[in-house]
Amino acid sequence: MKSISLPKEMKALVFQAKGKIEIVKKPVPQVGPNDLLIKVTTTTICGTDIHIKKGEYPVVPGLTIGHESVGTVAAYGDNVTGFELGERVLAGAITPSGFIAACQYGQGSQDGVGEVYGYKATAGWKFGNIEDGCQAEYVLVKNAMANVAKIPATLTDKQVLMCPDILSTGIKGSENADIVLGDTVVLVAQGPIGLSATIGAKLLGASTIIAVDGEEARLEMAKKYGATHTINFKNKDVVEEVRRITNGRMADAAVECLGLNSTFQTCLRVLRPGGKLSSIGVYSEDLVIPLDSFAAGLGDHQIKTSLCPGGSERMRRLMQLIENGMIDTTKLVTHEYDFDKIVEAYELFESRKDGVLKIAVKVS
Amino acid sequence: MKSISLPKEMKALVFQAKGKIEIVKKPVPQVGPNDLLIKVTTTTICGTDIHIKKGEYPVVPGLTIGHESVGTVAAYGDNVTGFELGERVLAGAITPSGFIAACQYGQGSQDGVGEVYGYKATAGWKFGNIEDGCQAEYVLVKNAMANVAKIPATLTDKQVLMCPDILSTGIKGSENADIVLGDTVVLVAQGPIGLSATIGAKLLGASTIIAVDGEEARLEMAKKYGATHTINFKNKDVVEEVRRITNGRMADAAVECLGLNSTFQTCLRVLRPGGKLSSIGVYSEDLVIPLDSFAAGLGDHQIKTSLCPGGSERMRRLMQLIENGMIDTTKLVTHEYDFDKIVEAYELFESRKDGVLKIAVKVS
Amino acid sequence: MKSISLPKEMKALVFQAKGKIEIVKKPVPQVGPNDLLIKVTTTTICGTDIHIKKGEYPVVPGLTIGHESVGTVAAYGDNVTGFELGERVLAGAITPSGFIAACQYGQGSQDGVGEVYGYKATAGWKFGNIEDGCQAEYVLVKNAMANVAKIPATLTDKQVLMCPDILSTGIKGSENADIVLGDTVVLVAQGPIGLSATIGAKLLGASTIIAVDGEEARLEMAKKYGATHTINFKNKDVVEEVRRITNGRMADAAVECLGLNSTFQTCLRVLRPGGKLSSIGVYSEDLVIPLDSFAAGLGDHQIKTSLCPGGSERMRRLMQLIENGMIDTTKLVTHEYDFDKIVEAYELFESRKDGVLKIAVKVS
Amino acid sequence: MKSISLPKEMKALVFQAKGKIEIVKKPVPQVGPNDLLIKVTTTTICGTDIHIKKGEYPVVPGLTIGHESVGTVAAYGDNVTGFELGERVLAGAITPSGFIAACQYGQGSQDGVGEVYGYKATAGWKFGNIEDGCQAEYVLVKNAMANVAKIPATLTDKQVLMCPDILSTGIKGSENADIVLGDTVVLVAQGPIGLSATIGAKLLGASTIIAVDGEEARLEMAKKYGATHTINFKNKDVVEEVRRITNGRMADAAVECLGLNSTFQTCLRVLRPGGKLSSIGVYSEDLVIPLDSFAAGLGDHQIKTSLCPGGSERMRRLMQLIENGMIDTTKLVTHEYDFDKIVEAYELFESRKDGVLKIAVKVS
C-alpha cells in the first residue's frame, strides 16, 4: 500500500434519520489491496440524495451519503497500478466490480446479478447506498482498477464534476433511445439530467430535438444545449405540438427524464408506431401503459430503462468529450458552497430556488 | 396482365355483423400492374379472426376476413416479374408496401408511418383488416414483388401454412428477446403462437427454455418444440419456479404470448436485473408495471412489442428453415375442414375443444 | 399519369467513348405507373463520373451520366401519390426498388440480391450506371414512392445538392464505423467524401476526430467540419501521430475515404486491438492486409464497406439535419457552371485546380 | 488464503526450445489475494500449442504451455468468494482481467488495450502465452472472480473439456457472422474449431449450413453437428457449389476456420453482396482481398475477426447449453492419454493420424 500522510479522522456527511443529515467525524477508511482512496476536492448533491435525506429511499443510519466527487489520489493498494499519489482522479457514481456476470456481459450497473451481491437490481450503485459515499474528506473506491479515471490536466473540477452521475445518466438516456441518424427525439423534463440527455441527443445524430419542461429558464438552457424546439407543457398540448412540428410523423424516440407516470405516458404518446422510449427517471409509483398509446401491443414499440453507467473507461470518454469541446456542463453548476455548509446547500437544492441546477461543494 | 382462366365470382367468408360471419359470392378481384392474384388452396383461422367475428376488433361489414393462405398464381400485373401462372406461392399476413419510410428503415409491419396510410400503427396488416382477406377462393396481393414468395416443391401446404402469421409472429417474439447465446428464456402461454416462440428460442441460442401454461397438453407440446423446463401455473408459483430452476439468477428474457396484464407482469417478475421482455400478445386492457417489478426504472430493463413480420424474404427464410428440417409446425395443425364448413371450423376453434390448436381449411 | 407541359426532346450529357462525353438531344423519358419525372434544376459531378468519362468504369455508350440532382416534379404515374406537379424534390444517387430481398432486410443499396437485377453487387445504383442519369434536363425516377423526397421550402438547391451522394456516403462511412460515444476516429483523405465522413463522426458521438490528408486547405476545412486534430501525411508519420495524440491507446475506428491500398493499410495500422475500419473508398486494385496489422486474425478487428445509402427516407433525414442546422455542406460547393458548359466543369473537377471541391451545375 | 494440502512441486509440460517440449518439475504457484489455484484433472492440446512447440509462435523457454483445463479448487485468495475447496471448476483459455477498458466495453479478449498490459492485441490470452499454462498438475488463475466457473455436477470432464477454447472460439465464429434468422452460412474447414463453428451456426438460426473440407470423415462429422450440405473442395468448385445450392443467391455469411489466404478468399467469394465474413483462423501470411471479390469496396461487405471469448460467464453459458442437451462435443474427443505421455499425445495430434480430432489428457 502507498499513501500520502493521512489523518486518523475525517469529516463526512451522514444520514442520521428521516429528515436529518449532519457532518460527523469518522475514521479515514482502511485501504485494501484492490482499493484506492480519493481525497475529495469537490463533491455535489443529487436528487437521489434528497430522497435519501427525506427517508424516501432507505439507507442505513450513519452511512456517509453522496455519490459524486472529484479529488486526488491519497492512497492505493498493492494490486492497483498506473496511479501516482496526488494526481487528480474521479470515479463514477456507479462502481461495477468488473468481475460479476453482468459486468462481463455489458451491464456493469447491474453488478448484482450474481452470488456476490445477491442478484439485486442497482447493486452496481455502492457509494452512499450500500457503502460510505462521497460527501466526505476521503472516499474509498473498491475495485479501483475498474473505476478510477485520471482527470486531464486542462480540465477544472467544475468542468468534470457532472461526469460521475448526471452527465453519464443523461447521455445514457439518449444512448438507450437507439437514435438513428436524423431521428426526431423528444426529451421530457429539463432538469440537470434532462439537459444532459439533450446534450446526448445532439451528440448522437438526432435531427430534431424537442425539449419539454414547465420552466422557461430550463427550456432556454435546453436550446443552448442543442434543442431545436421547445415545448412548455403549461401552455401547450405536448402531443399536438409534436404532431405539428413533425408534420404528423410523430417522434422516433422519447426520453423520460423525471420519473412520473404522467411524463412516462407523454413519452409513449409522442412516439410514432415503431418508436423508442428511453426512461431514466426514478419512479415512486406503478406505471400505467394506456392501451391506445401502445397500439394494443402491436406497435413495434421499445422501452428501455437504465441506471447510470459507471466504470473508469466511461469516465475517461466523458472527460475526453469535454476536453475536446463537445460537451460543456459548467452552465449546470449554478452555485458553490464550502463543505462545512453542505447542509445548507441541501436546503437550497431541495427548494429549487434561486435558479439552482447543480451545486459545487468545495471540500479541500 | 397475365392470367389463368378466371371465373367472375368466387366464394368468400365475410364479416357481416357482431357475431355473424358467412360465406358469400363476390367478384374475383381486378389485378393492377403491381398486383398478384392467388388462387387459395389452403387457409386457416387465427385468434384475431375470432376477435373480429365477435366484433371486438372492428372491421367494415362485408369485408372478406382471414390473413393466412397458401395457393397458386392465378394472375399478375405487368410490373410483376419472376412468377409463372400456376406455381405455388404464399404471402405473409402482413404485406408491407416496401416503399414507406417504415419499410425503408426496417419496420415494414408499421407501414403506416407516412402519408400514404396515415401514420397509423399496424397499417402493414391489410388482409382481412383494411382490405379483403384470405378466407376466399382468390386473394389479391398488392405490391406483389415485396410480398409473394414461392413455395419449395418439397413442401406441402400443411408444412408451410403457419408461415404467414403465427410462425413469423412467434419467432419474432424470440427475436425481440434479443437472445444472447446461452440465455435463459421464459415463454408465457403456449398456444400456437407461444409454441412458435418456443421454436424461436430454441433456434436462436437459448440454453434454458422455460415454457409456462395452464394446460399439460400444451406443455407437453412445448417440450417437443424445445422447452427444457415447463411450469404449469395452476400448480406452481411461476416466479419461484424460475428462481429455483436458475439457482436464483432469474431469466435473461421473457416472451409474453397471450395478451393479459397478468401474463405481462409475470414476464416482468421472472426477469433478472437487465432482463429483456418481448411481448407478442394482443392486449385489450391498460398494462400496469408494478414499481417493484421494474426496480423503480433503474433495472436496465427492456420491453419490446411487435406485429408479425411479413414480406417475401421473411416468408422465403421461414420456408427454408422448414425445408432444411429446423422447423416442423405440422404438429400444430390438429384439424382439417373444407372451406364450405369454415363457419363450423370457427366454432371449434373458438371453443378450444378437442385439443384444437390450428385448423387447415381446404379451399381448392 | 399527371404531367406539366413537356417538350419532346431534352439536353443530356452522355458518355460516348473513352475520354469523350458530350451534350446531346434525347427524347424526354416516358413515365410509367410507378415513375416520377424530375425537371432538373441543379446537378453536380462526382469522382465516379470522372472514372466513367475515362472509361475506367464501364458504361454503355450513349448513356446519360450523373447520379446527383435537385429539381421539381414534372410528371408522375398513377401509382405515385403524395406529390404535386412543380414541387421541389430530389432522389438519392442510389435508388433501391424497395421490394428486393436486400431492401426488405435493410441493404437497399445492394438491390441486386434477387432475380430481378441478377444478384449483382451495387445494382441499387442505377442513375448513370445502368439507366439514364441526372446530368440532363429531365431524369426519370423509377419506383418513385421509395425514392423521391420533398425539399423543405427553407432550403436552397445548393444546401441540399450534396444529399444524393457524397453526404449520404460520407456519413455512412462514419455510421459503419459503429462509433460508440467517446470513440477516437481517424478519417483518412479529406476530399468531399472524407469531409462528409468527418461531419458524420462529429454527428455520431466521437470525442477525438483526427483528419488525415496531404493538402493543408482540406485539413483546414476538416477542422471547420469538426476535426479535433489533423495530420498532414506529407510531414508526419500518421501511425506515430495517432499514437501520440491518443497516449498510446490508438484509434477505436478509422474511415477510409479514398480507395487506395496504402490508405486502407494506414487505417488498419492506426486501430487499437478490437478496432473498427469503415471503408467508403472505391478501389481499383487488390487489397493487402499485412499480417502484423491484423494481429494474425486474432485482434477482434472489424472491416465494413458500403455503397451510398439511398431511398426517400434517407434523403428526408439528411435534409432535416441540414434544415435544423446540424449540417452545412455549402462550403463544399466551390464553383458554379451552366449546364451548357458542363464538359468544362468536368475538366476543372478532374484537374483538382483552383481549390475545387464540388461544382454546382445549373440546368434550369 | 484457503488451501487444500499442497505439495511443493508439480509436474508441468514446458517449452524448452524450437521443437522441444518436456515434462519438468516446478514449484506449485503462490496464490495471491485475487487468485484461485486449480488442481488439473484433464487437459487437452490445441493447434496453437503445436505452433508453440515448433517455435512458430514465440514463448519464453521454460514456460508451462497449454490453455485448456478442467479441475478442482485447490486454493484461493482472500478476495475470492463463492467457491469451496475441492469443487469442480474450469477457466477459459482467455482470462480477461475484468477491469481494463477493453473489458469494460465488451472486448475482454483484447485485455491489452490499456496501460497494464501494454496496448497489445491478444493480451487477454495469458495461459501458456505470457503466463504459465494448463498442461500441469496445477494452474494459477489470476483475477479469479472474473474467470473461474463451476462445473454442473451432471457433466463429466470430457463433456466440458472443449469449453475453454475451441467451443468458445468456434461458436464465436458463428456469432461474429451476425446470423439473421434463416441465413445461409458457409463454414470453411471442419477441424475441431470449424465443427464448433458449425454447432454455432445451427444454434443461432441459420437455415442452410454448408460445411466445406477436404476430408470426408470431417464432413460426415459436420452433418452430425448440423450441416445441411457439405462440399469436399477436392472434388468440387466451392463457389459454384454454393451458387447451385442457393439458386444463385450465394451465402449470407461465411466463417473462415483455418487460417489460410486461400480459405479466406473462398469465404469472400461465396458471399452475396452485403454478405458477412467471420474469421477465426490464425494466419501466418498477409491476406489478399481480390478486387472483384470485394466489389471494389462497394459491396456492403463485413469482415470480423476474433480471439476466443473467455470469462466465467461465457464458460457458465456454454456448460448450460451442454447440460441442457443443445451441444455435445464429446464426439470431438477421439483419444485419451495420461499426462506422463503428453509428449506422445502431441506427436499424434501433430500427425493428424488415426482420425484424431482432440485428445483428453488425464492429469489426476
Side-chain angles (χ1 to χ4, degrees), chain B residues 171 175 180-184 203-209 228 249 252 316-318 320-321 324 326, chain D residues 171 175 180-184 203-209 228 249 252 316-317 320-321 324 326:
Chain B
I171 287 180
E175 288 172 295
V180 173
L181 189 87
D183 267 3
T184 291
L203 271 176
L204 293 163
S207 66
T208 304
I209 301 173
T228 59
R249 274 192 323 275
D252 301 292
R316 186 191 70 74
R317 286 169 172 257
L318 293 177
Q320 194 157 342
L321 285 157
N324 285 336
M326 274 75 170
Chain D
I171 287 181
E175 289 172 296
V180 173
L181 190 87
D183 267 2
T184 292
L203 271 176
L204 292 164
S207 67
T208 304
I209 301 173
T228 58
R249 274 191 323 274
D252 301 292
R316 186 191 69 75
R317 285 168 173 257
Q320 195 158 341
L321 285 158
N324 285 336
M326 275 73 170

Short mmCIF file of all heavy atoms in Angstrom, two decimals, chain B residues 171 175 180-184 203-209 228 249 252 316-318 320-321 324 326, chain D residues 171 175 180-184 203-209 228 249 252 316-317 320-321 324 326:
data_model
loop_
_atom_site.label_atom_id
_atom_site.label_comp_id
_atom_site.label_asym_id
_atom_site.label_seq_id
_atom_site.Cartn_x
_atom_site.Cartn_y
_atom_site.Cartn_z
N ILE B 171 -41.80 -16.55 -33.74
CA ILE B 171 -40.33 -16.45 -33.82
C ILE B 171 -39.89 -15.02 -33.57
O ILE B 171 -38.88 -14.78 -32.90
CB ILE B 171 -39.83 -17.00 -35.16
CG1 ILE B 171 -39.96 -18.54 -35.15
CG2 ILE B 171 -38.39 -16.59 -35.41
CD1 ILE B 171 -39.49 -19.22 -36.41
N GLU B 175 -37.04 -13.40 -31.36
CA GLU B 175 -36.04 -12.48 -31.92
C GLU B 175 -36.01 -11.18 -31.11
O GLU B 175 -34.95 -10.63 -30.82
CB GLU B 175 -36.35 -12.18 -33.39
CG GLU B 175 -36.09 -13.33 -34.33
CD GLU B 175 -36.60 -13.07 -35.74
OE1 GLU B 175 -37.83 -12.96 -35.91
OE2 GLU B 175 -35.78 -12.99 -36.66
N VAL B 180 -29.05 -13.67 -26.27
CA VAL B 180 -27.61 -13.83 -26.35
C VAL B 180 -27.32 -15.31 -26.08
O VAL B 180 -27.99 -15.93 -25.26
CB VAL B 180 -26.92 -12.93 -25.31
CG1 VAL B 180 -25.42 -13.19 -25.26
CG2 VAL B 180 -27.20 -11.46 -25.63
N LEU B 181 -26.35 -15.86 -26.76
CA LEU B 181 -26.06 -17.30 -26.63
C LEU B 181 -26.03 -17.73 -25.17
O LEU B 181 -25.29 -17.19 -24.37
CB LEU B 181 -24.72 -17.63 -27.27
CG LEU B 181 -24.49 -19.14 -27.36
CD1 LEU B 181 -25.09 -19.68 -28.65
CD2 LEU B 181 -23.04 -19.49 -27.24
N GLY B 182 -26.86 -18.71 -24.87
CA GLY B 182 -26.87 -19.26 -23.52
C GLY B 182 -27.88 -18.62 -22.59
O GLY B 182 -27.95 -18.97 -21.41
N ASP B 183 -28.67 -17.70 -23.09
CA ASP B 183 -29.69 -17.05 -22.26
C ASP B 183 -30.72 -18.06 -21.73
O ASP B 183 -31.02 -19.05 -22.39
CB ASP B 183 -30.47 -15.99 -23.08
CG ASP B 183 -29.88 -14.60 -22.97
OD1 ASP B 183 -28.83 -14.42 -22.32
OD2 ASP B 183 -30.46 -13.67 -23.56
N THR B 184 -31.27 -17.71 -20.58
CA THR B 184 -32.45 -18.41 -20.06
C THR B 184 -33.67 -17.60 -20.47
O THR B 184 -33.74 -16.40 -20.20
CB THR B 184 -32.37 -18.49 -18.53
OG1 THR B 184 -31.31 -19.39 -18.19
CG2 THR B 184 -33.68 -19.01 -17.94
N LEU B 203 -34.18 -22.00 -31.66
CA LEU B 203 -33.42 -21.67 -32.88
C LEU B 203 -32.38 -20.58 -32.66
O LEU B 203 -31.47 -20.43 -33.47
CB LEU B 203 -34.37 -21.14 -33.96
CG LEU B 203 -35.03 -22.12 -34.91
CD1 LEU B 203 -36.00 -21.38 -35.80
CD2 LEU B 203 -33.99 -22.85 -35.75
N LEU B 204 -32.55 -19.80 -31.62
CA LEU B 204 -31.75 -18.58 -31.51
C LEU B 204 -30.72 -18.62 -30.39
O LEU B 204 -30.15 -17.59 -30.02
CB LEU B 204 -32.69 -17.37 -31.35
CG LEU B 204 -33.51 -17.08 -32.61
CD1 LEU B 204 -34.68 -16.17 -32.28
CD2 LEU B 204 -32.64 -16.42 -33.68
N GLY B 205 -30.48 -19.81 -29.82
CA GLY B 205 -29.34 -19.94 -28.91
C GLY B 205 -29.64 -19.90 -27.43
O GLY B 205 -28.71 -19.81 -26.63
N ALA B 206 -30.90 -19.97 -27.03
CA ALA B 206 -31.20 -20.04 -25.60
C ALA B 206 -30.67 -21.37 -25.05
O ALA B 206 -30.68 -22.39 -25.74
CB ALA B 206 -32.70 -19.94 -25.36
N SER B 207 -30.21 -21.36 -23.80
CA SER B 207 -29.75 -22.62 -23.20
C SER B 207 -30.85 -23.23 -22.34
O SER B 207 -31.00 -24.44 -22.26
CB SER B 207 -28.51 -22.39 -22.35
OG SER B 207 -28.82 -21.59 -21.23
N THR B 208 -31.61 -22.39 -21.66
CA THR B 208 -32.66 -22.87 -20.77
C THR B 208 -33.96 -22.24 -21.25
O THR B 208 -34.07 -21.02 -21.31
CB THR B 208 -32.34 -22.48 -19.32
OG1 THR B 208 -31.04 -23.01 -18.99
CG2 THR B 208 -33.36 -23.05 -18.36
N ILE B 209 -34.90 -23.10 -21.64
CA ILE B 209 -36.14 -22.64 -22.26
C ILE B 209 -37.28 -23.12 -21.36
O ILE B 209 -37.56 -24.30 -21.28
CB ILE B 209 -36.27 -23.22 -23.68
CG1 ILE B 209 -35.07 -22.77 -24.54
CG2 ILE B 209 -37.59 -22.82 -24.31
CD1 ILE B 209 -35.01 -23.42 -25.92
N THR B 228 -36.86 -26.80 -22.26
CA THR B 228 -36.07 -27.66 -21.38
C THR B 228 -36.77 -27.82 -20.03
O THR B 228 -36.49 -28.76 -19.30
CB THR B 228 -34.67 -27.06 -21.16
OG1 THR B 228 -34.81 -25.75 -20.59
CG2 THR B 228 -33.90 -26.97 -22.47
N ARG B 249 -30.63 -16.85 -10.28
CA ARG B 249 -30.22 -15.82 -11.25
C ARG B 249 -31.40 -15.16 -11.94
O ARG B 249 -31.31 -14.06 -12.44
CB ARG B 249 -29.33 -16.43 -12.33
CG ARG B 249 -27.86 -16.50 -12.00
CD ARG B 249 -27.07 -16.85 -13.24
NE ARG B 249 -27.82 -17.81 -14.04
CZ ARG B 249 -27.81 -19.11 -13.85
NH1 ARG B 249 -27.05 -19.64 -12.92
NH2 ARG B 249 -28.55 -19.89 -14.59
N ASP B 252 -32.96 -14.27 -18.25
CA ASP B 252 -32.40 -13.19 -19.07
C ASP B 252 -33.47 -12.54 -19.93
O ASP B 252 -33.38 -11.36 -20.25
CB ASP B 252 -31.29 -13.76 -19.96
CG ASP B 252 -30.18 -14.41 -19.18
OD1 ASP B 252 -29.46 -13.67 -18.50
OD2 ASP B 252 -30.04 -15.65 -19.20
N ARG B 316 -39.67 -16.57 -47.41
CA ARG B 316 -38.69 -17.48 -48.00
C ARG B 316 -37.79 -18.09 -46.93
O ARG B 316 -37.50 -19.30 -46.92
CB ARG B 316 -37.80 -16.73 -49.01
CG ARG B 316 -36.84 -17.66 -49.77
CD ARG B 316 -35.79 -16.91 -50.58
NE ARG B 316 -34.80 -16.25 -49.76
CZ ARG B 316 -33.81 -16.86 -49.10
NH1 ARG B 316 -33.67 -18.16 -49.17
NH2 ARG B 316 -32.96 -16.16 -48.36
N ARG B 317 -37.36 -17.28 -45.98
CA ARG B 317 -36.46 -17.76 -44.94
C ARG B 317 -37.17 -18.78 -44.03
O ARG B 317 -36.59 -19.80 -43.67
CB ARG B 317 -35.95 -16.58 -44.11
CG ARG B 317 -34.90 -15.77 -44.87
CD ARG B 317 -34.56 -14.46 -44.19
NE ARG B 317 -33.43 -13.84 -44.87
CZ ARG B 317 -32.18 -13.83 -44.43
NH1 ARG B 317 -31.89 -14.40 -43.27
NH2 ARG B 317 -31.21 -13.28 -45.12
N LEU B 318 -38.40 -18.48 -43.67
CA LEU B 318 -39.12 -19.44 -42.82
C LEU B 318 -39.28 -20.78 -43.56
O LEU B 318 -39.09 -21.85 -42.97
CB LEU B 318 -40.48 -18.88 -42.41
CG LEU B 318 -40.45 -17.66 -41.49
CD1 LEU B 318 -41.87 -17.16 -41.22
CD2 LEU B 318 -39.74 -17.96 -40.16
N GLN B 320 -37.40 -21.97 -45.84
CA GLN B 320 -36.11 -22.65 -45.96
C GLN B 320 -35.75 -23.36 -44.65
O GLN B 320 -35.18 -24.46 -44.66
CB GLN B 320 -35.04 -21.64 -46.36
CG GLN B 320 -33.77 -22.32 -46.85
CD GLN B 320 -32.93 -21.41 -47.73
OE1 GLN B 320 -33.41 -20.41 -48.26
NE2 GLN B 320 -31.67 -21.77 -47.89
N LEU B 321 -36.09 -22.75 -43.54
CA LEU B 321 -35.88 -23.42 -42.25
C LEU B 321 -36.70 -24.70 -42.17
O LEU B 321 -36.25 -25.72 -41.64
CB LEU B 321 -36.23 -22.47 -41.10
CG LEU B 321 -35.20 -21.36 -40.82
CD1 LEU B 321 -35.83 -20.19 -40.10
CD2 LEU B 321 -34.02 -21.91 -40.00
N ASN B 324 -35.19 -27.39 -44.57
CA ASN B 324 -33.95 -27.99 -44.07
C ASN B 324 -34.11 -28.67 -42.72
O ASN B 324 -33.12 -29.06 -42.09
CB ASN B 324 -32.83 -26.96 -44.04
CG ASN B 324 -32.30 -26.67 -45.44
OD1 ASN B 324 -32.43 -27.51 -46.33
ND2 ASN B 324 -31.74 -25.49 -45.64
N MET B 326 -35.17 -27.58 -39.76
CA MET B 326 -35.00 -26.87 -38.49
C MET B 326 -36.35 -26.63 -37.80
O MET B 326 -36.39 -26.43 -36.59
CB MET B 326 -34.35 -25.51 -38.73
CG MET B 326 -32.84 -25.56 -38.77
SD MET B 326 -32.23 -26.27 -40.33
CE MET B 326 -30.48 -25.90 -40.17
N ILE D 171 -17.93 -21.22 -31.72
CA ILE D 171 -19.25 -20.58 -31.65
C ILE D 171 -19.13 -19.08 -31.89
O ILE D 171 -19.97 -18.47 -32.55
CB ILE D 171 -19.92 -20.90 -30.31
CG1 ILE D 171 -20.37 -22.37 -30.34
CG2 ILE D 171 -21.10 -19.98 -30.07
CD1 ILE D 171 -21.07 -22.84 -29.08
N GLU D 175 -21.15 -16.51 -34.09
CA GLU D 175 -21.73 -15.27 -33.52
C GLU D 175 -21.27 -14.05 -34.33
O GLU D 175 -22.05 -13.15 -34.60
CB GLU D 175 -21.33 -15.12 -32.06
CG GLU D 175 -22.02 -16.10 -31.11
CD GLU D 175 -21.45 -16.05 -29.70
OE1 GLU D 175 -20.26 -16.38 -29.52
OE2 GLU D 175 -22.19 -15.68 -28.78
N VAL D 180 -28.65 -13.73 -39.19
CA VAL D 180 -30.05 -13.33 -39.10
C VAL D 180 -30.87 -14.59 -39.38
O VAL D 180 -30.48 -15.41 -40.21
CB VAL D 180 -30.34 -12.23 -40.14
CG1 VAL D 180 -31.83 -11.91 -40.20
CG2 VAL D 180 -29.54 -10.98 -39.81
N LEU D 181 -31.98 -14.74 -38.71
CA LEU D 181 -32.78 -15.96 -38.84
C LEU D 181 -32.98 -16.35 -40.30
O LEU D 181 -33.47 -15.55 -41.10
CB LEU D 181 -34.16 -15.77 -38.20
CG LEU D 181 -34.94 -17.09 -38.11
CD1 LEU D 181 -34.58 -17.82 -36.84
CD2 LEU D 181 -36.42 -16.86 -38.24
N GLY D 182 -32.59 -17.57 -40.61
CA GLY D 182 -32.78 -18.07 -41.96
C GLY D 182 -31.60 -17.86 -42.89
O GLY D 182 -31.67 -18.20 -44.07
N ASP D 183 -30.51 -17.30 -42.38
CA ASP D 183 -29.32 -17.08 -43.21
C ASP D 183 -28.74 -18.40 -43.74
O ASP D 183 -28.84 -19.44 -43.09
CB ASP D 183 -28.21 -16.40 -42.39
CG ASP D 183 -28.23 -14.88 -42.49
OD1 ASP D 183 -29.12 -14.34 -43.16
OD2 ASP D 183 -27.34 -14.24 -41.89
N THR D 184 -28.11 -18.30 -44.88
CA THR D 184 -27.28 -19.38 -45.42
C THR D 184 -25.84 -19.09 -45.00
O THR D 184 -25.32 -18.01 -45.27
CB THR D 184 -27.38 -19.42 -46.95
OG1 THR D 184 -28.70 -19.83 -47.29
CG2 THR D 184 -26.37 -20.39 -47.54
N LEU D 203 -27.04 -23.40 -33.83
CA LEU D 203 -27.62 -22.81 -32.61
C LEU D 203 -28.17 -21.42 -32.82
O LEU D 203 -28.96 -20.93 -32.01
CB LEU D 203 -26.54 -22.69 -31.53
CG LEU D 203 -26.30 -23.84 -30.58
CD1 LEU D 203 -25.13 -23.51 -29.69
CD2 LEU D 203 -27.55 -24.11 -29.73
N LEU D 204 -27.73 -20.74 -33.86
CA LEU D 204 -28.01 -19.30 -33.97
C LEU D 204 -28.97 -18.94 -35.08
O LEU D 204 -29.11 -17.78 -35.44
CB LEU D 204 -26.68 -18.54 -34.12
CG LEU D 204 -25.81 -18.58 -32.86
CD1 LEU D 204 -24.37 -18.17 -33.18
CD2 LEU D 204 -26.38 -17.67 -31.78
N GLY D 205 -29.64 -19.97 -35.66
CA GLY D 205 -30.73 -19.66 -36.56
C GLY D 205 -30.45 -19.72 -38.04
O GLY D 205 -31.28 -19.29 -38.84
N ALA D 206 -29.30 -20.27 -38.45
CA ALA D 206 -29.07 -20.45 -39.88
C ALA D 206 -30.05 -21.47 -40.43
O ALA D 206 -30.43 -22.42 -39.74
CB ALA D 206 -27.63 -20.92 -40.12
N SER D 207 -30.46 -21.29 -41.68
CA SER D 207 -31.36 -22.28 -42.29
C SER D 207 -30.58 -23.26 -43.16
O SER D 207 -30.91 -24.43 -43.23
CB SER D 207 -32.42 -21.58 -43.14
OG SER D 207 -31.83 -20.96 -44.26
N THR D 208 -29.56 -22.75 -43.83
CA THR D 208 -28.76 -23.59 -44.72
C THR D 208 -27.32 -23.50 -44.24
O THR D 208 -26.76 -22.41 -44.17
CB THR D 208 -28.91 -23.10 -46.18
OG1 THR D 208 -30.31 -23.08 -46.50
CG2 THR D 208 -28.18 -24.02 -47.14
N ILE D 209 -26.78 -24.65 -43.86
CA ILE D 209 -25.46 -24.70 -43.23
C ILE D 209 -24.58 -25.56 -44.12
O ILE D 209 -24.77 -26.77 -44.21
CB ILE D 209 -25.56 -25.29 -41.81
CG1 ILE D 209 -26.50 -24.43 -40.96
CG2 ILE D 209 -24.18 -25.42 -41.18
CD1 ILE D 209 -26.81 -25.00 -39.58
N THR D 228 -26.35 -28.83 -43.24
CA THR D 228 -27.40 -29.33 -44.13
C THR D 228 -26.82 -29.73 -45.48
O THR D 228 -27.44 -30.50 -46.22
CB THR D 228 -28.48 -28.25 -44.36
OG1 THR D 228 -27.86 -27.09 -44.92
CG2 THR D 228 -29.16 -27.87 -43.04
N ARG D 249 -28.33 -17.19 -55.21
CA ARG D 249 -28.34 -16.09 -54.22
C ARG D 249 -27.00 -15.93 -53.53
O ARG D 249 -26.68 -14.87 -53.03
CB ARG D 249 -29.40 -16.32 -53.15
CG ARG D 249 -30.78 -15.83 -53.49
CD ARG D 249 -31.67 -15.86 -52.26
NE ARG D 249 -31.33 -17.03 -51.45
CZ ARG D 249 -31.84 -18.23 -51.64
NH1 ARG D 249 -32.73 -18.44 -52.57
NH2 ARG D 249 -31.45 -19.23 -50.90
N ASP D 252 -25.23 -15.73 -47.21
CA ASP D 252 -25.35 -14.52 -46.38
C ASP D 252 -24.11 -14.33 -45.52
O ASP D 252 -23.74 -13.20 -45.19
CB ASP D 252 -26.59 -14.65 -45.49
CG ASP D 252 -27.86 -14.82 -46.28
OD1 ASP D 252 -28.24 -13.86 -46.97
OD2 ASP D 252 -28.46 -15.92 -46.25
N ARG D 316 -19.90 -20.47 -18.07
CA ARG D 316 -21.16 -20.95 -17.49
C ARG D 316 -22.21 -21.18 -18.56
O ARG D 316 -22.93 -22.19 -18.55
CB ARG D 316 -21.70 -19.94 -16.47
CG ARG D 316 -22.94 -20.44 -15.71
CD ARG D 316 -23.62 -19.36 -14.89
NE ARG D 316 -24.27 -18.37 -15.72
CZ ARG D 316 -25.43 -18.54 -16.39
NH1 ARG D 316 -26.08 -19.68 -16.32
NH2 ARG D 316 -25.93 -17.56 -17.13
N ARG D 317 -22.32 -20.26 -19.49
CA ARG D 317 -23.33 -20.37 -20.54
C ARG D 317 -23.06 -21.58 -21.45
O ARG D 317 -23.98 -22.31 -21.81
CB ARG D 317 -23.36 -19.08 -21.36
CG ARG D 317 -24.05 -17.95 -20.61
CD ARG D 317 -23.85 -16.60 -21.27
NE ARG D 317 -24.66 -15.60 -20.58
CZ ARG D 317 -25.81 -15.11 -21.03
NH1 ARG D 317 -26.27 -15.48 -22.21
NH2 ARG D 317 -26.49 -14.23 -20.34
N GLN D 320 -24.05 -24.62 -19.65
CA GLN D 320 -25.50 -24.76 -19.53
C GLN D 320 -26.10 -25.28 -20.84
O GLN D 320 -27.04 -26.08 -20.83
CB GLN D 320 -26.11 -23.42 -19.14
CG GLN D 320 -27.55 -23.57 -18.64
CD GLN D 320 -27.98 -22.41 -17.79
OE1 GLN D 320 -27.15 -21.65 -17.28
NE2 GLN D 320 -29.28 -22.26 -17.62
N LEU D 321 -25.56 -24.85 -21.96
CA LEU D 321 -26.01 -25.38 -23.24
C LEU D 321 -25.72 -26.88 -23.33
O LEU D 321 -26.52 -27.65 -23.86
CB LEU D 321 -25.32 -24.63 -24.40
CG LEU D 321 -25.86 -23.22 -24.67
CD1 LEU D 321 -24.84 -22.37 -25.39
CD2 LEU D 321 -27.16 -23.28 -25.49
N ASN D 324 -28.12 -28.81 -20.96
CA ASN D 324 -29.50 -28.91 -21.46
C ASN D 324 -29.61 -29.58 -22.82
O ASN D 324 -30.66 -29.55 -23.45
CB ASN D 324 -30.15 -27.52 -21.48
CG ASN D 324 -30.53 -27.07 -20.08
OD1 ASN D 324 -30.72 -27.89 -19.19
ND2 ASN D 324 -30.61 -25.76 -19.88
N MET D 326 -28.21 -28.97 -25.76
CA MET D 326 -28.10 -28.25 -27.03
C MET D 326 -26.76 -28.53 -27.72
O MET D 326 -26.65 -28.35 -28.93
CB MET D 326 -28.19 -26.73 -26.79
CG MET D 326 -29.61 -26.21 -26.74
SD MET D 326 -30.46 -26.67 -25.19
CE MET D 326 -31.93 -25.64 -25.35
#
